[in-house]
């Protein structure tokens, strides 16, 4: 029994008993016999419960994201099928459109930028400068002509001259004859660059810089850049 023992020992026994009742610690054939073993058993059981709770939380979040992703795909495919039915599109063309929607559905979803969150416009200026520095500075520092810029100059370029833009598959970024007014750095995805004298397009992948000449002189594009 616990008659005549100090309060600390009573609390330790109560904690270990409550954890054992929940099935986290304790076995029918093995149990703590002294205060040190009780404390150790209680700490390990509490640690195990926190890990279990974290795993369950992450699993729940992952399953919800997976469900939302599947729901978005199903809604897109349902809209495509409804359009095909209402416009009496042939099965051959219809199947091609459905396959495209299934294959490129993730590419057609536009990623968020800071401009999509209105409250970001009300952030203090120094916070917005820090935000843009963390987004754009790693890209600019990798460029040989910009890597040696001072921090204050880099902050000004990141905050005033850089933007994030996302394009859907098949969308044109620029066309032949357009005035080149910006340098483009591809952070993700793939693009195709077409020119009239070449049959096959050049593949433009993540990490590539396009239209760099716009930084140094006036330039007019001589081809088409299209997202895919």
């Amino acid at each position: 029994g616990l008659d005549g023992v100090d309060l600390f020992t009573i609390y330790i026994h109560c904690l270990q008993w409550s954890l054992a009742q929940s099935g986290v610690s304790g076995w029918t054939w093995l149990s703590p016999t002294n205060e040190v073993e009780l404390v150790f058993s209680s700490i390990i059981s509490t640690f195990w419960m926190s890990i279990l709770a974290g795993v369950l939380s992450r699993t729940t979040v992952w399953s919800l994201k997976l469900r939302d992703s599947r729901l978005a795909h199903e809604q897109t495919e349902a809209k495509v099928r409804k359009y095909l039915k209402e416009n009496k599109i042939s099965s051959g063309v219809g199947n091609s459109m459905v396959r495209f929607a299934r294959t490129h559905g993730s590419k057609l979803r536009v990623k968020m930028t800071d401009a999509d969150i209105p409250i970001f416009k009300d952030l203090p200026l120094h916070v917005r400068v820090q935000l843009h520095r963390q987004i754009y500075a790693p890209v600019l520092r990798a460029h040989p002509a910009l890597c040696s810029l001072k921090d204050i100059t880099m902050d000004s370029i990141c905050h005033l001259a850089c933007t994030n833009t996302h394009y859907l598959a098949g969308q044109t970024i620029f066309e032949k004859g357009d005035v080149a007014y910006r340098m483009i750095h591809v952070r993700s995805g793939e693009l195709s660059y077409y020119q009239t004298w070449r049959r096959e397009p050049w593949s433009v992948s993540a990490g590539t810089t396009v239209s760099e000449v716009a930084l140094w002189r006036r330039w007019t594009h001589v081809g088409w850049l299209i997202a895919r």
Side-chain angles (χ1 to χ4, degrees):
L2 297 176
D3 296 336
V5 300
D6 60 279
L7 191 60
F8 175 77
T9 303
I10 295 177
Y11 275 114
I12 291 298
H13 276 277
C14 291
L15 175 61
Q16 198 279 331
W17 178 86
S18 63
L19 293 172
Q21 296 304 307
S22 65
V24 176
S25 71
W27 295 268
T28 56
W29 56 274
L30 181 64
S31 60
T33 59
N34 55 53
E35 291 184 5
V36 175
E37 292 180 359
L38 282 169
V39 172
F40 177 79
S41 174
S42 299
I43 292 175
I44 294 299
S45 300
T46 304
F47 178 70
W48 169 246
M49 288 180 68
S50 63
I51 292 179
L52 182 61
V55 170
L56 291 175
S57 176
R58 289 181 177 272
T59 303
T60 302
V61 171
W62 176 81
S63 62
L64 289 175
K65 288 184 177 180
L66 181 62
R67 184 200 64 181
D68 292 342
S69 177
R70 289 180 176 176
L71 181 61
H73 280 291
E74 292 174 358
Q75 289 176 343
T76 300
E77 186 172 333
K79 291 179 180 179
V80 172
R81 292 186 181 278
K82 182 179 179 181
Y83 175 85
L84 297 175
K85 183 178 180 180
E86 290 179 350
N87 292 274
K88 299 179 181 179
I89 305 299
S90 65
S91 59
V93 176
N95 291 336
S96 297
M97 294 175 66
V98 171
R99 283 197 300 270
F100 178 85
R102 290 177 178 174
T103 305
H104 301 281
S106 59
K107 295 182 180 180
L108 296 176
R109 283 176 286 175
V110 178
K111 296 181 180 179
M112 292 187 66
T113 66
D114 54 343
D116 297 323
I117 306 176
I119 196 173
F120 280 7
K121 297 179 182 179
D122 298 324
L123 288 172
L125 178 61
H126 72 279
V127 176
R128 281 185 285 149
V129 170
Q130 292 175 0
L131 172 66
H132 294 152
R133 179 199 306 151
Q134 294 190 15
I135 294 174
Y136 303 119
V139 175
L140 299 178
R141 291 291 185 193
H143 194 281
L146 304 175
C147 60
S148 59
L149 293 177
K150 295 182 179 180
D151 290 342
I152 187 171
T153 305
M154 181 64 70
D155 287 349
S156 298
I157 294 175
C158 292
H159 181 61
L160 300 174
C162 295
T163 58
N164 253 335
T165 307
H166 298 279
Y167 295 92
L168 302 177
Q171 194 169 0
T172 301
I173 290 88
F174 59 74
E175 298 180 349
K176 181 180 178 180
D178 289 347
V179 176
Y181 63 91
R182 60 181 175 174
M183 180 181 76
I184 299 171
H185 180 83
V186 184
R187 301 191 68 176
S188 62
E190 295 181 350
L191 304 95
S192 295
Y193 181 68
Y194 296 86
Q195 287 189 305
T196 53
W197 55 269
R198 180 183 171 93
R199 284 187 177 181
E200 297 297 324
W202 278 283
S203 179
V204 182
S205 57
T208 304
T209 299
V210 181
S211 189
E212 183 183 18
V213 67
L215 296 179
W216 322 119
R217 55 164 295 176
R218 294 181 180 179
W219 182 258
T220 300
H221 291 298
V222 296
W224 294 261
L225 186 65
I226 300 176
R228 59 185 173 93

PDB file of all heavy atoms in Angstrom, residues 188-213:
ATOM      1  N   SER A 188      10.621  26.200 -61.387  1.00  0.00           N
ATOM      2  CA  SER A 188      10.040  24.858 -61.400  1.00  0.00           C
ATOM      3  C   SER A 188       9.281  24.667 -62.697  1.00  0.00           C
ATOM      4  O   SER A 188       8.934  25.629 -63.383  1.00  0.00           O
ATOM      5  CB  SER A 188       9.095  24.658 -60.200  1.00  0.00           C
ATOM      6  OG  SER A 188       8.002  25.564 -60.262  1.00  0.00           O
ATOM      7  N   GLY A 189       9.020  23.409 -63.042  1.00  0.00           N
ATOM      8  CA  GLY A 189       8.288  23.107 -64.258  1.00  0.00           C
ATOM      9  C   GLY A 189       9.180  23.084 -65.487  1.00  0.00           C
ATOM     10  O   GLY A 189      10.417  23.165 -65.395  1.00  0.00           O
ATOM     11  N   GLU A 190       8.561  22.988 -66.646  1.00  0.00           N
ATOM     12  CA  GLU A 190       9.277  22.946 -67.913  1.00  0.00           C
ATOM     13  C   GLU A 190       8.599  23.850 -68.932  1.00  0.00           C
ATOM     14  O   GLU A 190       7.379  24.030 -68.906  1.00  0.00           O
ATOM     15  CB  GLU A 190       9.336  21.509 -68.454  1.00  0.00           C
ATOM     16  CG  GLU A 190      10.145  20.552 -67.592  1.00  0.00           C
ATOM     17  CD  GLU A 190      10.193  19.156 -68.182  1.00  0.00           C
ATOM     18  OE1 GLU A 190       9.439  18.898 -69.144  1.00  0.00           O
ATOM     19  OE2 GLU A 190      10.986  18.335 -67.703  1.00  0.00           O
ATOM     20  N   LEU A 191       9.410  24.428 -69.831  1.00  0.00           N
ATOM     21  CA  LEU A 191       8.898  25.287 -70.889  1.00  0.00           C
ATOM     22  C   LEU A 191       9.528  24.856 -72.211  1.00  0.00           C
ATOM     23  O   LEU A 191      10.534  24.134 -72.233  1.00  0.00           O
ATOM     24  CB  LEU A 191       9.210  26.758 -70.611  1.00  0.00           C
ATOM     25  CG  LEU A 191       8.719  27.352 -69.280  1.00  0.00           C
ATOM     26  CD1 LEU A 191       9.834  27.291 -68.235  1.00  0.00           C
ATOM     27  CD2 LEU A 191       8.268  28.789 -69.458  1.00  0.00           C
ATOM     28  N   SER A 192       8.926  25.331 -73.296  1.00  0.00           N
ATOM     29  CA  SER A 192       9.464  25.066 -74.634  1.00  0.00           C
ATOM     30  C   SER A 192       9.699  26.393 -75.333  1.00  0.00           C
ATOM     31  O   SER A 192       8.836  27.280 -75.302  1.00  0.00           O
ATOM     32  CB  SER A 192       8.493  24.208 -75.443  1.00  0.00           C
ATOM     33  OG  SER A 192       8.344  22.929 -74.864  1.00  0.00           O
ATOM     34  N   TYR A 193      10.874  26.525 -75.988  1.00  0.00           N
ATOM     35  CA  TYR A 193      11.209  27.734 -76.729  1.00  0.00           C
ATOM     36  C   TYR A 193      11.225  27.393 -78.211  1.00  0.00           C
ATOM     37  O   TYR A 193      11.987  26.538 -78.672  1.00  0.00           O
ATOM     38  CB  TYR A 193      12.566  28.271 -76.283  1.00  0.00           C
ATOM     39  CG  TYR A 193      12.965  29.547 -76.991  1.00  0.00           C
ATOM     40  CD1 TYR A 193      12.268  30.728 -76.770  1.00  0.00           C
ATOM     41  CD2 TYR A 193      14.029  29.562 -77.893  1.00  0.00           C
ATOM     42  CE1 TYR A 193      12.623  31.905 -77.423  1.00  0.00           C
ATOM     43  CE2 TYR A 193      14.390  30.725 -78.547  1.00  0.00           C
ATOM     44  CZ  TYR A 193      13.681  31.891 -78.311  1.00  0.00           C
ATOM     45  OH  TYR A 193      14.031  33.048 -78.962  1.00  0.00           O
ATOM     46  N   TYR A 194      10.371  28.085 -78.978  1.00  0.00           N
ATOM     47  CA  TYR A 194      10.221  27.820 -80.406  1.00  0.00           C
ATOM     48  C   TYR A 194      10.812  28.971 -81.219  1.00  0.00           C
ATOM     49  O   TYR A 194      10.667  30.141 -80.855  1.00  0.00           O
ATOM     50  CB  TYR A 194       8.740  27.677 -80.786  1.00  0.00           C
ATOM     51  CG  TYR A 194       8.050  26.497 -80.150  1.00  0.00           C
ATOM     52  CD1 TYR A 194       7.497  26.591 -78.876  1.00  0.00           C
ATOM     53  CD2 TYR A 194       7.919  25.287 -80.837  1.00  0.00           C
ATOM     54  CE1 TYR A 194       6.848  25.515 -78.292  1.00  0.00           C
ATOM     55  CE2 TYR A 194       7.270  24.203 -80.263  1.00  0.00           C
ATOM     56  CZ  TYR A 194       6.733  24.321 -78.992  1.00  0.00           C
ATOM     57  OH  TYR A 194       6.087  23.259 -78.419  1.00  0.00           O
ATOM     58  N   GLN A 195      11.436  28.607 -82.356  1.00  0.00           N
ATOM     59  CA  GLN A 195      11.880  29.577 -83.344  1.00  0.00           C
ATOM     60  C   GLN A 195      11.461  29.111 -84.728  1.00  0.00           C
ATOM     61  O   GLN A 195      11.351  27.900 -84.989  1.00  0.00           O
ATOM     62  CB  GLN A 195      13.398  29.782 -83.269  1.00  0.00           C
ATOM     63  CG  GLN A 195      13.838  30.569 -82.050  1.00  0.00           C
ATOM     64  CD  GLN A 195      15.299  30.963 -82.097  1.00  0.00           C
ATOM     65  OE1 GLN A 195      16.160  30.122 -82.259  1.00  0.00           O
ATOM     66  NE2 GLN A 195      15.570  32.251 -81.956  1.00  0.00           N
ATOM     67  N   THR A 196      11.250  30.065 -85.630  1.00  0.00           N
ATOM     68  CA  THR A 196      10.688  29.734 -86.939  1.00  0.00           C
ATOM     69  C   THR A 196      11.603  28.840 -87.770  1.00  0.00           C
ATOM     70  O   THR A 196      11.136  28.039 -88.573  1.00  0.00           O
ATOM     71  CB  THR A 196      10.392  31.028 -87.731  1.00  0.00           C
ATOM     72  OG1 THR A 196      11.579  31.838 -87.764  1.00  0.00           O
ATOM     73  CG2 THR A 196       9.278  31.822 -87.057  1.00  0.00           C
ATOM     74  N   TRP A 197      12.907  28.960 -87.609  1.00  0.00           N
ATOM     75  CA  TRP A 197      13.841  28.208 -88.436  1.00  0.00           C
ATOM     76  C   TRP A 197      14.183  26.826 -87.872  1.00  0.00           C
ATOM     77  O   TRP A 197      14.964  26.089 -88.470  1.00  0.00           O
ATOM     78  CB  TRP A 197      15.131  29.004 -88.625  1.00  0.00           C
ATOM     79  CG  TRP A 197      15.776  29.435 -87.323  1.00  0.00           C
ATOM     80  CD1 TRP A 197      15.571  30.585 -86.652  1.00  0.00           C
ATOM     81  CD2 TRP A 197      16.729  28.694 -86.561  1.00  0.00           C
ATOM     82  NE1 TRP A 197      16.317  30.638 -85.501  1.00  0.00           N
ATOM     83  CE2 TRP A 197      17.050  29.477 -85.432  1.00  0.00           C
ATOM     84  CE3 TRP A 197      17.338  27.443 -86.714  1.00  0.00           C
ATOM     85  CZ2 TRP A 197      17.951  29.047 -84.464  1.00  0.00           C
ATOM     86  CZ3 TRP A 197      18.239  27.021 -85.749  1.00  0.00           C
ATOM     87  CH2 TRP A 197      18.537  27.814 -84.634  1.00  0.00           C
ATOM     88  N   ARG A 198      13.595  26.481 -86.739  1.00  0.00           N
ATOM     89  CA  ARG A 198      13.921  25.203 -86.102  1.00  0.00           C
ATOM     90  C   ARG A 198      12.648  24.387 -85.900  1.00  0.00           C
ATOM     91  O   ARG A 198      11.654  24.898 -85.383  1.00  0.00           O
ATOM     92  CB  ARG A 198      14.625  25.454 -84.765  1.00  0.00           C
ATOM     93  CG  ARG A 198      15.011  24.201 -83.996  1.00  0.00           C
ATOM     94  CD  ARG A 198      15.630  24.592 -82.659  1.00  0.00           C
ATOM     95  NE  ARG A 198      15.821  23.447 -81.787  1.00  0.00           N
ATOM     96  CZ  ARG A 198      16.944  22.743 -81.709  1.00  0.00           C
ATOM     97  NH1 ARG A 198      17.975  23.067 -82.469  1.00  0.00           N
ATOM     98  NH2 ARG A 198      17.056  21.720 -80.886  1.00  0.00           N
ATOM     99  N   ARG A 199      12.661  23.132 -86.314  1.00  0.00           N
ATOM    100  CA  ARG A 199      11.469  22.298 -86.200  1.00  0.00           C
ATOM    101  C   ARG A 199      11.128  21.967 -84.749  1.00  0.00           C
ATOM    102  O   ARG A 199      10.008  22.161 -84.304  1.00  0.00           O
ATOM    103  CB  ARG A 199      11.663  20.989 -86.968  1.00  0.00           C
ATOM    104  CG  ARG A 199      11.543  21.122 -88.470  1.00  0.00           C
ATOM    105  CD  ARG A 199      11.579  19.750 -89.118  1.00  0.00           C
ATOM    106  NE  ARG A 199      11.392  19.853 -90.570  1.00  0.00           N
ATOM    107  CZ  ARG A 199      11.361  18.795 -91.373  1.00  0.00           C
ATOM    108  NH1 ARG A 199      11.508  17.572 -90.871  1.00  0.00           N
ATOM    109  NH2 ARG A 199      11.192  18.968 -92.677  1.00  0.00           N
ATOM    110  N   GLU A 200      12.109  21.442 -84.050  1.00  0.00           N
ATOM    111  CA  GLU A 200      11.883  21.014 -82.680  1.00  0.00           C
ATOM    112  C   GLU A 200      12.208  22.145 -81.702  1.00  0.00           C
ATOM    113  O   GLU A 200      13.195  22.863 -81.897  1.00  0.00           O
ATOM    114  CB  GLU A 200      12.734  19.787 -82.343  1.00  0.00           C
ATOM    115  CG  GLU A 200      12.401  18.553 -83.167  1.00  0.00           C
ATOM    116  CD  GLU A 200      10.991  18.078 -82.931  1.00  0.00           C
ATOM    117  OE1 GLU A 200      10.522  18.190 -81.775  1.00  0.00           O
ATOM    118  OE2 GLU A 200      10.357  17.595 -83.882  1.00  0.00           O
ATOM    119  N   PRO A 201      11.417  22.313 -80.648  1.00  0.00           N
ATOM    120  CA  PRO A 201      11.699  23.388 -79.681  1.00  0.00           C
ATOM    121  C   PRO A 201      12.836  23.012 -78.740  1.00  0.00           C
ATOM    122  O   PRO A 201      13.144  21.832 -78.554  1.00  0.00           O
ATOM    123  CB  PRO A 201      10.374  23.498 -78.913  1.00  0.00           C
ATOM    124  CG  PRO A 201       9.812  22.114 -78.962  1.00  0.00           C
ATOM    125  CD  PRO A 201      10.190  21.560 -80.310  1.00  0.00           C
ATOM    126  N   TRP A 202      13.448  24.025 -78.178  1.00  0.00           N
ATOM    127  CA  TRP A 202      14.397  23.809 -77.107  1.00  0.00           C
ATOM    128  C   TRP A 202      13.633  23.583 -75.813  1.00  0.00           C
ATOM    129  O   TRP A 202      12.642  24.267 -75.523  1.00  0.00           O
ATOM    130  CB  TRP A 202      15.322  25.007 -76.941  1.00  0.00           C
ATOM    131  CG  TRP A 202      16.474  25.046 -77.891  1.00  0.00           C
ATOM    132  CD1 TRP A 202      17.615  24.312 -77.833  1.00  0.00           C
ATOM    133  CD2 TRP A 202      16.599  25.877 -79.051  1.00  0.00           C
ATOM    134  NE1 TRP A 202      18.452  24.630 -78.871  1.00  0.00           N
ATOM    135  CE2 TRP A 202      17.856  25.583 -79.634  1.00  0.00           C
ATOM    136  CE3 TRP A 202      15.779  26.837 -79.647  1.00  0.00           C
ATOM    137  CZ2 TRP A 202      18.302  26.217 -80.790  1.00  0.00           C
ATOM    138  CZ3 TRP A 202      16.225  27.470 -80.801  1.00  0.00           C
ATOM    139  CH2 TRP A 202      17.470  27.155 -81.357  1.00  0.00           C
ATOM    140  N   SER A 203      14.102  22.643 -75.013  1.00  0.00           N
ATOM    141  CA  SER A 203      13.481  22.395 -73.715  1.00  0.00           C
ATOM    142  C   SER A 203      14.128  23.296 -72.660  1.00  0.00           C
ATOM    143  O   SER A 203      15.355  23.350 -72.553  1.00  0.00           O
ATOM    144  CB  SER A 203      13.650  20.924 -73.310  1.00  0.00           C
ATOM    145  OG  SER A 203      13.068  20.677 -72.047  1.00  0.00           O
ATOM    146  N   VAL A 204      13.304  24.009 -71.924  1.00  0.00           N
ATOM    147  CA  VAL A 204      13.777  24.918 -70.884  1.00  0.00           C
ATOM    148  C   VAL A 204      13.327  24.365 -69.539  1.00  0.00           C
ATOM    149  O   VAL A 204      12.130  24.291 -69.271  1.00  0.00           O
ATOM    150  CB  VAL A 204      13.212  26.341 -71.087  1.00  0.00           C
ATOM    151  CG1 VAL A 204      13.748  27.277 -70.016  1.00  0.00           C
ATOM    152  CG2 VAL A 204      13.553  26.855 -72.483  1.00  0.00           C
ATOM    153  N   SER A 205      14.254  23.957 -68.715  1.00  0.00           N
ATOM    154  CA  SER A 205      13.935  23.309 -67.450  1.00  0.00           C
ATOM    155  C   SER A 205      14.243  24.212 -66.263  1.00  0.00           C
ATOM    156  O   SER A 205      14.765  25.325 -66.422  1.00  0.00           O
ATOM    157  CB  SER A 205      14.718  21.996 -67.319  1.00  0.00           C
ATOM    158  OG  SER A 205      16.108  22.229 -67.438  1.00  0.00           O
ATOM    159  N   ALA A 206      13.916  23.739 -65.069  1.00  0.00           N
ATOM    160  CA  ALA A 206      14.134  24.510 -63.844  1.00  0.00           C
ATOM    161  C   ALA A 206      15.612  24.834 -63.670  1.00  0.00           C
ATOM    162  O   ALA A 206      16.484  24.011 -63.938  1.00  0.00           O
ATOM    163  CB  ALA A 206      13.621  23.730 -62.647  1.00  0.00           C
ATOM    164  N   GLY A 207      15.892  26.060 -63.239  1.00  0.00           N
ATOM    165  CA  GLY A 207      17.256  26.514 -63.053  1.00  0.00           C
ATOM    166  C   GLY A 207      17.816  27.294 -64.234  1.00  0.00           C
ATOM    167  O   GLY A 207      18.926  27.833 -64.149  1.00  0.00           O
ATOM    168  N   THR A 208      17.030  27.374 -65.319  1.00  0.00           N
ATOM    169  CA  THR A 208      17.482  28.066 -66.528  1.00  0.00           C
ATOM    170  C   THR A 208      17.085  29.547 -66.482  1.00  0.00           C
ATOM    171  O   THR A 208      16.007  29.892 -66.002  1.00  0.00           O
ATOM    172  CB  THR A 208      16.867  27.418 -67.779  1.00  0.00           C
ATOM    173  OG1 THR A 208      17.184  26.022 -67.791  1.00  0.00           O
ATOM    174  CG2 THR A 208      17.401  28.070 -69.044  1.00  0.00           C
ATOM    175  N   THR A 209      17.956  30.402 -66.973  1.00  0.00           N
ATOM    176  CA  THR A 209      17.666  31.832 -67.096  1.00  0.00           C
ATOM    177  C   THR A 209      17.359  32.160 -68.553  1.00  0.00           C
ATOM    178  O   THR A 209      18.099  31.765 -69.455  1.00  0.00           O
ATOM    179  CB  THR A 209      18.856  32.670 -66.615  1.00  0.00           C
ATOM    180  OG1 THR A 209      19.110  32.379 -65.240  1.00  0.00           O
ATOM    181  CG2 THR A 209      18.552  34.155 -66.749  1.00  0.00           C
ATOM    182  N   VAL A 210      16.272  32.877 -68.778  1.00  0.00           N
ATOM    183  CA  VAL A 210      15.807  33.214 -70.123  1.00  0.00           C
ATOM    184  C   VAL A 210      15.746  34.733 -70.264  1.00  0.00           C
ATOM    185  O   VAL A 210      15.417  35.441 -69.312  1.00  0.00           O
ATOM    186  CB  VAL A 210      14.416  32.597 -70.396  1.00  0.00           C
ATOM    187  CG1 VAL A 210      13.939  32.922 -71.805  1.00  0.00           C
ATOM    188  CG2 VAL A 210      14.444  31.092 -70.180  1.00  0.00           C
ATOM    189  N   SER A 211      16.037  35.233 -71.445  1.00  0.00           N
ATOM    190  CA  SER A 211      15.919  36.656 -71.771  1.00  0.00           C
ATOM    191  C   SER A 211      16.823  37.522 -70.891  1.00  0.00           C
ATOM    192  O   SER A 211      16.471  38.631 -70.507  1.00  0.00           O
ATOM    193  CB  SER A 211      14.454  37.114 -71.632  1.00  0.00           C
ATOM    194  OG  SER A 211      14.277  38.399 -72.136  1.00  0.00           O
ATOM    195  N   GLU A 212      17.993  37.016 -70.608  1.00  0.00           N
ATOM    196  CA  GLU A 212      18.945  37.740 -69.765  1.00  0.00           C
ATOM    197  C   GLU A 212      19.413  39.037 -70.405  1.00  0.00           C
ATOM    198  O   GLU A 212      19.742  40.007 -69.719  1.00  0.00           O
ATOM    199  CB  GLU A 212      20.136  36.834 -69.471  1.00  0.00           C
ATOM    200  CG  GLU A 212      21.181  37.427 -68.557  1.00  0.00           C
ATOM    201  CD  GLU A 212      22.352  36.493 -68.367  1.00  0.00           C
ATOM    202  OE1 GLU A 212      22.502  35.562 -69.193  1.00  0.00           O
ATOM    203  OE2 GLU A 212      23.113  36.686 -67.414  1.00  0.00           O
ATOM    204  N   VAL A 213      19.392  39.076 -71.736  1.00  0.00           N
ATOM    205  CA  VAL A 213      19.876  40.251 -72.459  1.00  0.00           C
ATOM    206  C   VAL A 213      19.061  41.496 -72.128  1.00  0.00           C
ATOM    207  O   VAL A 213      19.549  42.630 -72.283  1.00  0.00           O
ATOM    208  CB  VAL A 213      19.839  39.971 -73.981  1.00  0.00           C
ATOM    209  CG1 VAL A 213      18.417  39.829 -74.477  1.00  0.00           C
ATOM    210  CG2 VAL A 213      20.572  41.048 -74.765  1.00  0.00           C
TER     211      VAL A 213
END
